[in-house]
Amino acid sequence: MSLSPQKPISAYVFDAYGTLFDVHAAVRRHASGMGPEALRLSVIWREKQLEYSWTRALMDRYVDFWSLTEQALDTAFSIVGMENPELRRKLLDAYWKLDCYPEVPTVLKRLKDEGHRLAILSNGSPQMLEAAVRAAGIEDLLDEVFSTDLLRTYKTRQDVYELVTNQFRIYPETVSFQSSNRWDIAGASAFGFRTVWVNRTGAADEYADLPPAAVLTDLNGLLALG
């Protein structure tokens, strides 16, 4: 599906976790010593991390994303009935240097070489994002890394997406926004971004009234969209 834009794209903006960086990479690195509950723990960890961000935003009781990540891991350990302080430390350490998906550096470089501005817009704390970007070796390809920490809230609050348009001084419809999270795509679509859902897992579609402009299985397909 082509974006078929009425106006040229001024900036490509990417969600970080799940879109550029593999959120399950931390558990995968240590899965051999975790037994059969490894995958379940990783899924719960991610689910609770997101749940806590939404709840905090709704209550207007901000806690930074790294603290939520720690809290979510503790909850995941509790749910699967696992208590291992050393493993907890290793998983949290690994989360600072998550693997990026294989196509990410190449796709970003191609877009950058074409003259586009590139940015991240993420719930992640500034320190988390700085570490992840540096570990992936993509810091020189990004013009900006926007953290919702600046507003002390989380997606899908509409003022979060406004961080991009205010900084770049551009209209929402000239932003191509990529995320693997369907709820994030819904929020960005409501704001007016041209959205690309990177559906890496073949998840069912949701939010029919807020559809993406395109659906891809990975970021490689972004290069073919015009």
Side-chain angles (χ1 to χ4, degrees), residues 187-204:
S189 296
F191 180 70
F193 285 164
R194 266 182 271 163
T195 53
V196 177
W197 181 26
V198 187
N199 187 7
R200 295 183 181 276
T201 63

Side-chain angles (χ1 to χ4, degrees), residues 158-185:
Q158 294 293 277
D159 50 351
V160 165
Y161 304 103
E162 197 173 19
L163 286 171
V164 174
T165 53
N166 284 348
Q167 177 64 26
F168 286 154
R169 297 184 181 275
I170 55 179
Y171 293 106
E173 60 267 27
T174 67
V175 174
S176 178
F177 179 76
Q178 290 64 230
S179 180
S180 65
N181 303 298
R182 186 61 181 89
W183 53 268
D184 193 11
I185 289 296

Side-chain angles (χ1 to χ4, degrees), residues 11-78:
Y12 284 86
V13 180
F14 300 82
D15 170 58
Y17 297 106
T19 305
L20 300 179
F21 309 119
D22 184 354
V23 295
H24 299 295
V27 169
R28 191 179 303 116
R29 290 180 198 174
H30 300 284
S32 60
M34 295 176 62
E37 293 284 23
L39 177 58
R40 180 170 174 241
L41 183 138
S42 191
V43 170
I44 294 171
W45 187 7
R46 175 60 171 169
E47 288 176 347
K48 290 299 178 181
Q49 182 192 50
L50 294 175
E51 177 188 326
Y52 294 166
S53 72
W54 298 329
T55 303
R56 289 285 176 175
L58 286 168
M59 293 189 296
D60 199 20
R61 296 288 294 271
Y62 182 74
V63 174
D64 72 85
F65 200 63
W66 180 245
S67 297
L68 297 188
T69 300
E70 293 179 305
Q71 293 171 14
L73 179 57
D74 290 338
T75 299
F77 272 129
S78 178

Side-chain angles (χ1 to χ4, degrees), residues 16-17 65-66 122-129 146-149 154:
Y17 297 106
F65 200 63
W66 180 245
S122 172
N123 282 339
S125 68
Q127 296 85 357
M128 291 174 69
L129 293 170
F146 299 103
S147 169
T148 63
D149 183 75
Y154 292 108

Side-chain angles (χ1 to χ4, degrees), residues 12-22 99-111 114 118-120 138 142 176-181 185 195-201 214-225:
Y12 284 86
V13 180
F14 300 82
D15 170 58
Y17 297 106
T19 305
L20 300 179
F21 309 119
D22 184 354
D99 299 333
C100 72
Y101 289 100
E103 79 277 10
V104 168
T106 300
V107 171
L108 295 187
K109 188 176 187 308
R110 280 277 304 276
L111 293 173
E114 291 173 2
L118 306 182
I120 285 174
I138 59 174
L142 298 168
S176 178
F177 179 76
Q178 290 64 230
S179 180
S180 65
N181 303 298
I185 289 296
T195 53
V196 177
W197 181 26
V198 187
N199 187 7
R200 295 183 181 276
T201 63
V215 181
L216 305 175
T217 56
D218 60 40
L219 287 172
N220 283 313
L222 195 59
L223 300 175
L225 296 176

